[in-house]
Structure formats: C-alpha cells, structure tokens
Amino acid sequence: MDLAVQTRGLSKSYAGVHAVDGIDLEVPRHSVFGFLGPNGAGKTTTMKMLLGLIRPTSGSGSVFGLDITTDSPRVRGRVGYLPQEPRFYPRMTARETLRFAAGFFYSGPADAIEARIEEMLELVGLSGKADRPVKTLSGGETQRLGIAQAQIHQPDLLILDEPAAALDPLGRRDVLAILEQFRATSTVFYSTHILDDVQRVSDIVCILKDGRIVSQGPLEQVLAGGSESVFVAVVE
Ligand code: ATP
C-alpha cells in the first residue's frame, strides 16, 4: 500500500503519563483519515510528533518515507498544519493573512502567488470576505481561513487538529465538505472527538483512547465493529 504516514510503536511519555503508547498508524495516500478520540486521548501529541514538534520517547514514524525525527524539516516542507487553536493577526485581512503565509512557503512570481491566494479563498468560500480584517470573521470563517493557510503551499499532506470541533453544526458541515475536496490533490489527516464527523467524512478511521489504538481501518469496517465491538460516547 502507498502510505503517506506510517508509525511503529510510536510513544510519548511525560512524567508518569503515557500520552501516546505504542501506536502503529497506516495512512494511505489520498485518503481522508479521521483520528477519533476523546479529550486527552493523545491526538495532538501524535500529530506534533509527526510534524517533528515533539520528540517521541520511543518508536518510529515516517511521512512519505521521511523519518519524522531525523528528517523533520523535509517532512514539514510537505505538510500543511492547522493547530487546534490557530492564531492570526486580528487586523490583517484574510487575503493579507494568506499573502503573509505564502511569503514563508511559496516562492514564485507575484501574480502566481496572488492567483494561488484567490484560488484558496474561493475553495474555502471566503472570496466575498477576503478584504475584511480577520477579527470580523466568524468562528467558522476563521477556521476555514486556517485551512486555506495550511494549504497555501500545496502540501501533499494536511494535518488538521480538531478543525471543526468548536463550530456549530452548519460550520462543521462546511469545514468537512472542504476537507473532502482535498482528497484528490493531497492526503488529509484530521482529528476529532465527534463520531458523527468521521462518519460523514473519512475513508479510514483510527480510534484512540488513553494513548492506544482501539481500532483502525476502513470506515465501514471500524463502525461495524470488526473483530471487536467499539462504542464511542460523545457528550457535547
Ligand atoms: P484534546 O482533544 O483535549 O486536545 P488530545 O487527544 O489531543 O486531547 P493530547 O493533548 O495529545 O490529547 O494529550 C494526551 C495526554 O498527554 C493528556 O493526558 C495530557 O494531559 C498529556 N500531556 C500532553 N502534553 C503534555 C505535557 N507537555 N506535559 C505533561 N502531560 C502532557
């Protein structure tokens, strides 16, 4: 199988806490991978290890065959990341925000950069609000801007930490619809604690609890229970 992400026994411990405890992930290229688990399951810690922002205590991992500990700058060159609580300059407009991000990641003629920004604004449904300061955007619009920013340099893998969790049902639906569109051009690895989200938009699902994988595989297989039954109760 052609994998975007693979880990073997990946673990991270903090004094007395096994945040991530020996996980083996397999994320096929061009899949939407739903990483499902309750608060504190270890989702953010796993994502940060894949990005090289946290060093594993033990185990290994690769992104497009690049080692996550020894090759992390090259990994980051191929990955777009939306943290759980993205921060923006409130007075910058949406367009300026994307131009600022593009300055770090995207080299090329100015008109190509502007065209890319326009394309991203269109994709996330912000074309009509492109020249408004970020502080005037709604939560859902801000989150969609974050997705556009993570995607500005055309990464092969998008890692999105709870991109829809803080939104109302309509906002979540919009964000999930955007994720689905990225399947054709890249691989999407996103976390959520909401079962309904992975049911709506995922090809492969991994359920994490207390740092361990409870179940992993194609959506229908995991939700059907496979060899073991899985129950996830979410209280919102
Ligand atoms: P949430 O959805 O609440 O963000 P999560 O699944 O992303 O949850 P993590 O943030 O990865 O979970 O945390 C996993 C566990 O590791 C938690 O018990 C957390 O308290 C612990 N943890 C994370 N970072 C640290 C740290 N720097 N020091 C100590 N413990 C930590």
Side-chain angles (χ1 to χ4, degrees), residues 15 22 29 38 47 86 88 94 106 108 111 129 141 168-169 179 192 200 215 228 236:
R29 284 191 196 218
M47 290 175 154
F88 298 98
Y106 197 72
D111 53 350
K129 296 173 179 169
E141 289 162 352
D168 65 21
L179 299 194
T192 179
R200 279 200 235 175
S215 186
E228 52 185 319
E236 287 189 78

Tab-separated table of all heavy atoms in Angstrom, residues 15 22 29 38 47 86 88 94 106 108 111 129 141 168-169 179 192 200 215 228 236:
chain	number	residue	atom	x	y	z
A	15	ALA	N	6.384	12.680	32.584
A	15	ALA	CA	6.490	12.100	33.927
A	15	ALA	C	5.218	11.369	34.348
A	15	ALA	O	4.226	11.986	34.707
A	15	ALA	CB	6.803	13.217	34.919
A	22	GLY	N	2.670	3.425	22.065
A	22	GLY	CA	2.973	2.345	21.124
A	22	GLY	C	1.984	2.211	19.986
A	22	GLY	O	1.416	1.136	19.785
A	29	ARG	N	-2.123	7.136	1.013
A	29	ARG	CA	-2.146	8.393	0.243
A	29	ARG	C	-3.540	8.628	-0.337
A	29	ARG	O	-4.235	7.700	-0.677
A	29	ARG	CB	-1.161	8.316	-0.918
A	29	ARG	CG	0.262	8.487	-0.462
A	29	ARG	CD	1.154	8.668	-1.676
A	29	ARG	NE	2.525	8.449	-1.287
A	29	ARG	CZ	3.554	9.163	-1.758
A	29	ARG	NH1	3.364	10.102	-2.633
A	29	ARG	NH2	4.773	8.888	-1.353
A	38	PRO	N	-11.505	10.798	22.528
A	38	PRO	CA	-11.953	11.803	23.496
A	38	PRO	C	-10.815	12.744	23.896
A	38	PRO	O	-9.655	12.509	23.552
A	38	PRO	CB	-12.411	10.957	24.683
A	38	PRO	CG	-11.648	9.678	24.563
A	38	PRO	CD	-11.399	9.458	23.103
A	47	MET	N	0.062	14.083	16.461
A	47	MET	CA	0.228	14.981	15.305
A	47	MET	C	1.527	15.779	15.427
A	47	MET	O	2.256	15.949	14.450
A	47	MET	CB	-0.971	15.934	15.214
A	47	MET	CG	-2.237	15.213	14.797
A	47	MET	SD	-3.652	16.322	14.833
A	47	MET	CE	-4.704	15.525	13.634
A	86	PRO	N	-5.640	27.978	16.228
A	86	PRO	CA	-4.785	28.813	15.376
A	86	PRO	C	-4.864	30.285	15.784
A	86	PRO	O	-5.903	30.762	16.234
A	86	PRO	CB	-5.369	28.600	13.972
A	86	PRO	CG	-6.760	28.125	14.177
A	86	PRO	CD	-6.790	27.432	15.489
A	88	PHE	N	-4.153	34.311	14.599
A	88	PHE	CA	-3.975	35.177	13.435
A	88	PHE	C	-3.755	36.604	13.919
A	88	PHE	O	-4.132	36.949	15.036
A	88	PHE	CB	-5.237	35.161	12.557
A	88	PHE	CG	-5.565	33.804	12.002
A	88	PHE	CD1	-6.505	32.993	12.616
A	88	PHE	CD2	-4.923	33.333	10.866
A	88	PHE	CE1	-6.795	31.738	12.111
A	88	PHE	CE2	-5.211	32.082	10.360
A	88	PHE	CZ	-6.149	31.282	10.977
A	94	ALA	N	-8.182	38.687	5.481
A	94	ALA	CA	-7.998	37.276	5.132
A	94	ALA	C	-6.959	37.155	4.008
A	94	ALA	O	-6.060	36.300	4.057
A	94	ALA	CB	-9.328	36.682	4.690
A	106	TYR	N	5.872	29.851	-0.202
A	106	TYR	CA	5.566	29.728	-1.615
A	106	TYR	C	6.425	30.709	-2.377
A	106	TYR	O	6.308	31.917	-2.218
A	106	TYR	CB	4.074	30.058	-1.803
A	106	TYR	CG	3.483	29.613	-3.102
A	106	TYR	CD1	3.245	28.266	-3.357
A	106	TYR	CD2	3.135	30.539	-4.079
A	106	TYR	CE1	2.684	27.864	-4.543
A	106	TYR	CE2	2.571	30.145	-5.271
A	106	TYR	CZ	2.342	28.802	-5.495
A	106	TYR	OH	1.781	28.399	-6.677
A	108	GLY	N	7.717	32.197	-6.019
A	108	GLY	CA	7.294	32.234	-7.409
A	108	GLY	C	6.919	33.654	-7.767
A	108	GLY	O	6.964	34.546	-6.913
A	111	ASP	N	2.290	37.326	-9.426
A	111	ASP	CA	0.933	37.081	-9.940
A	111	ASP	C	0.511	35.632	-9.705
A	111	ASP	O	-0.667	35.344	-9.479
A	111	ASP	CB	0.782	37.487	-11.412
A	111	ASP	CG	1.845	36.860	-12.299
A	111	ASP	OD1	2.795	36.273	-11.757
A	111	ASP	OD2	1.694	36.944	-13.534
A	129	LYS	N	-15.262	37.796	1.413
A	129	LYS	CA	-14.847	38.412	2.687
A	129	LYS	C	-13.338	38.566	2.765
A	129	LYS	O	-12.777	38.790	3.832
A	129	LYS	CB	-15.357	37.557	3.852
A	129	LYS	CG	-16.872	37.559	3.867
A	129	LYS	CD	-17.477	36.637	4.855
A	129	LYS	CE	-19.004	36.770	4.749
A	129	LYS	NZ	-19.717	35.743	5.476
A	141	GLU	N	-15.668	30.950	9.765
A	141	GLU	CA	-14.887	31.590	8.692
A	141	GLU	C	-13.404	31.618	9.047
A	141	GLU	O	-12.541	31.386	8.192
A	141	GLU	CB	-15.423	33.013	8.452
A	141	GLU	CG	-16.793	33.008	7.796
A	141	GLU	CD	-17.544	34.332	7.938
A	141	GLU	OE1	-17.073	35.241	8.674
A	141	GLU	OE2	-18.621	34.443	7.342
A	168	ASP	N	-20.542	25.274	15.179
A	168	ASP	CA	-21.909	24.764	15.240
A	168	ASP	C	-22.119	23.781	14.077
A	168	ASP	O	-21.248	23.655	13.206
A	168	ASP	CB	-22.913	25.926	15.231
A	168	ASP	CG	-22.879	26.715	13.941
A	168	ASP	OD1	-22.406	26.178	12.913
A	168	ASP	OD2	-23.321	27.873	13.946
A	169	PRO	N	-23.247	23.069	14.048
A	169	PRO	CA	-23.415	22.024	13.031
A	169	PRO	C	-23.227	22.523	11.594
A	169	PRO	O	-22.612	21.824	10.775
A	169	PRO	CB	-24.850	21.544	13.265
A	169	PRO	CG	-25.072	21.762	14.725
A	169	PRO	CD	-24.336	23.028	15.046
A	179	LEU	N	-12.768	19.593	3.508
A	179	LEU	CA	-11.769	18.520	3.650
A	179	LEU	C	-11.917	17.484	2.540
A	179	LEU	O	-10.935	16.988	1.991
A	179	LEU	CB	-11.915	17.797	4.996
A	179	LEU	CG	-11.742	18.603	6.273
A	179	LEU	CD1	-11.575	17.670	7.452
A	179	LEU	CD2	-10.550	19.530	6.162
A	192	THR	N	-10.664	14.541	15.599
A	192	THR	CA	-11.964	14.994	16.099
A	192	THR	C	-12.351	14.139	17.295
A	192	THR	O	-11.845	13.025	17.456
A	192	THR	CB	-13.049	14.888	15.007
A	192	THR	OG1	-14.301	15.311	15.552
A	192	THR	CG2	-13.200	13.468	14.476
A	200	ARG	N	-19.252	11.137	8.567
A	200	ARG	CA	-19.576	11.927	7.371
A	200	ARG	C	-18.416	11.987	6.402
A	200	ARG	O	-18.588	11.865	5.203
A	200	ARG	CB	-19.943	13.351	7.791
A	200	ARG	CG	-21.361	13.454	8.256
A	200	ARG	CD	-21.788	14.884	8.188
A	200	ARG	NE	-22.280	15.318	9.470
A	200	ARG	CZ	-22.641	16.545	9.739
A	200	ARG	NH1	-22.540	17.477	8.834
A	200	ARG	NH2	-23.089	16.862	10.926
A	215	SER	N	-9.107	0.788	17.506
A	215	SER	CA	-9.482	0.179	16.243
A	215	SER	C	-9.002	1.078	15.110
A	215	SER	O	-8.946	2.291	15.268
A	215	SER	CB	-11.011	0.034	16.196
A	215	SER	OG	-11.401	-0.675	15.060
A	228	GLU	N	-13.879	-6.760	17.057
A	228	GLU	CA	-14.262	-6.370	18.413
A	228	GLU	C	-15.229	-5.196	18.319
A	228	GLU	O	-15.134	-4.386	17.408
A	228	GLU	CB	-13.019	-5.957	19.225
A	228	GLU	CG	-12.201	-4.922	18.512
A	228	GLU	CD	-10.909	-4.580	19.239
A	228	GLU	OE1	-10.933	-4.468	20.457
A	228	GLU	OE2	-9.902	-4.395	18.560
A	236	GLU	N	-21.640	16.385	24.251
A	236	GLU	CA	-21.292	17.766	23.842
A	236	GLU	C	-22.058	18.761	24.674
A	236	GLU	O	-23.175	18.516	25.052
A	236	GLU	CB	-21.628	17.956	22.363
A	236	GLU	CG	-20.666	17.235	21.473
A	236	GLU	CD	-20.887	17.613	20.020
A	236	GLU	OE1	-20.443	18.691	19.620
A	236	GLU	OE2	-21.524	16.835	19.323
